[in-house]
Amino acid sequence: KQEVTQIPAALSVPEGENLVLNCSFTDSAIYNLQWFRQDPGKGLTSLLLIQSSQREQTSGRLNASLDKSSGRSTLYIAASQPGDSATYLCAVRGYSGGGADGLTFGKGTHLIIQP
Amino acid sequence: GAVVSQHPSRVICKSGTSVKIECRSLDFQATTMFWYRQFPKQSLMLMATSNEGSKATYEQGVEKDKFLINHASLTLSTLTVTSAHPEDSSFYICSASPSTNSYNSPLHFGNGTRLTVT
């Protein structure tokens, strides 16, 4: 059974710093990996999607990498801003014999950017 | 594009009553929808996979008679929490997969429903 782990569970840094969030998964048989942002009491905002054949994806100040063979992904946030404060979730989409599964999520990293 | 609408966003009900949550794909057809549950400070956990025109597939440990899923059309799936109890209080969120979606495309999420059972 797929398990997704995110480290650290919480992070608080001053504004302007670059930071890295880590995600690991136990089963490398995945279609893709997605990073999401979740604000308190809200739904999910998709940030980046990395296909299993890709190594990284970039969107603005965000860069996500994927090392499928080792079961690891990182989300790099450059020049952090207070508006980046949220919980960041990593999720992988695997497959079973019947086709694509739903996503398996990590518990998230609760990020606070101090003004 | 690819908007998923989920209603209600928040519901409070008394123990023993049933609650229906709707998940609609507004601008695409969704053969498959997924229902997740998130307890405070926990990860989102997949509850079931809803397939249009067929029975839902439930994850281990999820009671199919308690969490009724109906996916009667390509744009609507409903989750009914029957005889709700306080331990069912949680954040429920759906995601939809377009019929033309390849497995490598992103899933689209609703904004979730906060259920509180008193």
Side-chain angles (χ1 to χ4, degrees):
Chain A
K1 181 182 176 183
Q2 180 74 269
E3 292 183 6
V4 179
T5 302
Q6 290 187 246
I7 295 173
L11 182 63
S12 180
V13 300
E15 179 179 6
E17 285 200 6
N18 304 322
L19 51 98
V20 175
L21 308 182
N22 297 291
C23 172
S24 62
F25 48 96
T26 55
D27 186 348
S28 62
I30 63 170
Y31 280 112
N32 54 55
L33 182 146
Q34 267 183 277
W35 282 93
F36 295 88
R37 168 185 175 139
Q38 185 177 30
D39 292 286
K42 302 293 185 181
L44 305 181
T45 300
S46 180
L47 298 174
L48 290 164
L49 169 73
I50 311 178
Q51 311 290 2
S52 61
S53 59
Q54 297 176 326
R55 298 284 292 182
E56 66 177 340
Q57 283 288 325
T58 298
S59 176
R61 295 183 292 109
L62 304 179
N63 176 278
S65 68
L66 174 64
D67 184 341
K68 184 182 154 185
S69 61
S70 67
R72 296 180 187 278
S73 175
T74 61
L75 178 67
Y76 176 82
I77 302 177
S80 59
Q81 302 171 356
D84 294 332
S85 298
T87 296
Y88 289 80
L89 297 168
C90 169
V92 296
R93 192 171 194 191
Y95 49 85
S96 60
D101 299 334
L103 296 175
T104 301
F105 284 85
K107 289 186 177 181
T109 293
H110 182 54
L111 176 64
I112 296 175
I113 306 299
Q114 307 154 10
Chain B
V3 176
V4 176
S5 175
Q6 188 173 338
H7 292 281
S9 59
R10 189 179 295 269
V11 58
I12 300 173
C13 71
K14 292 186 177 180
S15 184
T17 61
S18 295
V19 174
K20 180 184 285 188
I21 303 170
E22 292 189 348
C23 181
R24 292 181 185 272
S25 55
L26 296 187
D27 50 3
F28 65 96
Q29 293 184 329
T31 304
T32 303
M33 291 185 177
F34 301 95
W35 287 95
Y36 298 82
R37 178 169 56 184
Q38 184 181 34
F39 291 109
K41 300 189 185 301
Q42 297 296 315
S43 175
L44 279 83
M45 297 296 294
L46 180 66
M47 298 176 65
T49 302
S50 171
N51 298 298
E52 186 269 336
S54 64
K55 291 183 178 180
T57 303
Y58 290 82
E59 296 298 302
Q60 192 173 11
V62 178
E63 300 174 58
K64 62 179 180 181
D65 294 330
K66 180 168 185 64
F67 299 99
L68 301 180
I69 292 174
N70 184 284
H71 193 157
S73 78
L74 285 171
T75 59
L76 174 64
S77 175
T78 61
L79 168 68
T80 301
V81 183
T82 63
S83 186
H85 291 283
E87 57 265 30
D88 298 322
S89 299
S90 186
F91 185 69
Y92 294 85
I93 191 167
C94 69
S95 71
S97 176
S99 298
T100 57
N101 186 31
S102 74
Y103 299 146
N104 286 328
S105 297
L107 292 173
H108 308 287
F109 282 81
N111 283 331
T113 298
R114 174 73 59 191
L115 171 62
T116 303
V117 185
T118 61

